């Protein structure tokens, strides 16, 4: 399956193991990601929320975004828009 990687931004790291990101870092990048993927920023923010995981055991650390799953979902939505 060959995809034209120039038709929408795809980050190679999305297909490798990605460490989780803070929710604040993901939200900070939402407008840029939306612009690059030709999506509405609210759609990107909804996906960030969907792939935000709670604290470990409910108390350890901070909520975090599963970057791999988020990027895969963004890829699927971007592909649907082309």
């Amino acid at each position: 399956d060959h995809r034209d990687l120039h038709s929408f931004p795809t980050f190679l790291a999305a297909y490798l193991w990605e460490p989780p990101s803070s929710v604040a870092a993901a939200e900070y990048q939402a407008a840029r990601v939306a612009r690059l993927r030709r999506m509405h920023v609210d759609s990107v923010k909804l996906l960030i929320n969907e792939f935000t995981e709670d604290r470990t055991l409910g108390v350890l650390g901070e909520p975090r975004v599963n970057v791999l799953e988020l990027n895969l979902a963004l890829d699927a939505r971007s592909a649907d828009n082309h």
Side-chain angles (χ1 to χ4, degrees):
D1 177 59
H2 179 270
R3 294 184 182 162
D4 180 8
L5 298 181
H6 299 290
S7 65
F8 60 91
T10 300
F11 301 99
L12 179 59
Y15 300 104
L16 304 173
W17 183 79
E18 276 284 324
S21 173
S22 72
V23 175
E27 289 175 348
Y28 178 79
Q29 297 180 62
R32 180 181 62 84
V33 170
R35 185 181 81 250
L36 290 172
R37 291 177 178 267
R38 298 183 180 119
M39 295 174 64
H40 196 280
V41 69
D42 289 339
S43 297
V44 173
K45 288 181 178 182
L46 283 172
L47 287 172
I48 290 170
N49 187 53
E50 182 178 339
F51 294 102
T52 295
E53 300 172 347
D54 202 5
R55 301 169 189 250
T56 304
L57 301 176
V59 294
L60 300 175
E62 294 298 320
R64 61 212 169 270
V65 177
N66 184 322
V67 176
L68 174 61
E69 293 295 328
L70 174 59
N71 280 330
L72 291 172
L74 287 166
D75 283 350
R77 295 280 171 92
S78 294
D80 290 344
N81 290 334
H82 286 81

